C-alpha cells in the first residue's frame, strides 16, 4: 500500500516538483497551496508524512507545525520542514516546534528523497 504525503507549499513550482518527485517514487500525494487549509486536509487525507515549506503567507510553517502537533489525531505524523532558512538556530527552532526533519533549499533530489524515506 502506497504511503501518503501531504505537501504544503505556496510556491506553485516547488509544489509541482515535490509532488511529481514523490509520485514518481510511488507515494500518494495531496498538494496544499495554502497553510490555512493544511490541518483540515491532513485530517481528511490521513498522511504518513507532511512535507511543508516554512515561509508561507497567512500561516507560517512554524505555526502550522505547532497546530499539527497540538492535534491529538495528527501529532503522530512526522513533519519534514523544507526551507530557505539555513542557520543552525533555524533548525533548532523548527525541531523545537515539532519538525522531525529539516531540508534546506535549494534542495537536492537525493537529499529530499533520503529524508522522506527515513520518515516513512
Amino acid at each position: 500500500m502506497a504511503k501518503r504525503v501531504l505537501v504544503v507549499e505556496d510556491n506553485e513550482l516547488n509544489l509541482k516538483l515535490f509532488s511529481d518527485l514523490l509520485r514518481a517514487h510511488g507515494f500518494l500525494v495531496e498538494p496544499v497551496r495554502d497553510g490555512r487549509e493544511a490541518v483540515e486536509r491532513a485530517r481528511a487525507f490521513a498522511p504518513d508524512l507532511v512535507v511543508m515549506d516554512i515561509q508561507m503567507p497567512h500561516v507560517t510553517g512554524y505555526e502550522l507545525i505547532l497546530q499539527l502537533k497540538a492535534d491529538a489525531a495528527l501529532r503522530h505524523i512526522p513533519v519534514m520542514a523544507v526551507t530557505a532558512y539555513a542557520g543552525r538556530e533555524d533548525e533548532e527552532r523548527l525541531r523545537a516546534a515539532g519538525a522531525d526533519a529539516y531540508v534546506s533549499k535549494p534542495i537536492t533530489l537525493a537529499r529530499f528523497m533520503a529524508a522522506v524515506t527515513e520518515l516513512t
Side-chain angles (χ1 to χ4, degrees):
M1 186 174 203
K3 298 281 184 166
R4 303 163 73 84
V5 181
L6 182 76
V7 178
V8 185
E9 170 64 71
D10 65 305
N11 179 292
E12 193 67 37
L13 217 57
N14 287 340
L15 182 65
K16 181 170 177 24
L17 171 68
F18 299 156
S19 297
D20 289 350
L21 182 60
L22 290 163
R23 286 184 184 114
H25 283 84
F27 291 91
L28 291 176
V29 178
E30 177 73 10
V32 177
R33 288 167 185 77
D34 189 329
R36 295 175 293 187
E37 300 172 16
V39 172
E40 183 179 317
R41 297 279 281 284
R43 285 189 192 115
F45 185 62
D48 297 295
L49 173 66
V50 176
V51 173
M52 73 168 67
D53 185 21
I54 295 304
Q55 194 172 12
M56 295 184 291
H58 312 298
V59 177
T60 70
Y62 293 109
E63 295 166 334
L64 187 52
I65 292 169
L66 293 172
Q67 289 175 23
L68 290 167
K69 296 303 181 177
D71 189 306
L74 304 174
R75 71 173 47 119
H76 71 281
I77 301 168
V79 173
M80 185 173 102
V82 181
T83 181
Y85 299 129
R88 180 84 180 137
E89 61 280 349
D90 295 313
E91 181 176 1
E92 290 170 1
R93 183 173 172 215
L94 286 167
R95 290 192 183 275
D100 298 281
Y102 170 90
V103 177
S104 61
K105 291 178 184 175
I107 66 160
T108 65
L109 301 183
R111 189 176 65 205
F112 179 86
M113 285 312 303
V116 167
T117 300
E118 185 176 316
L119 293 170
T120 56

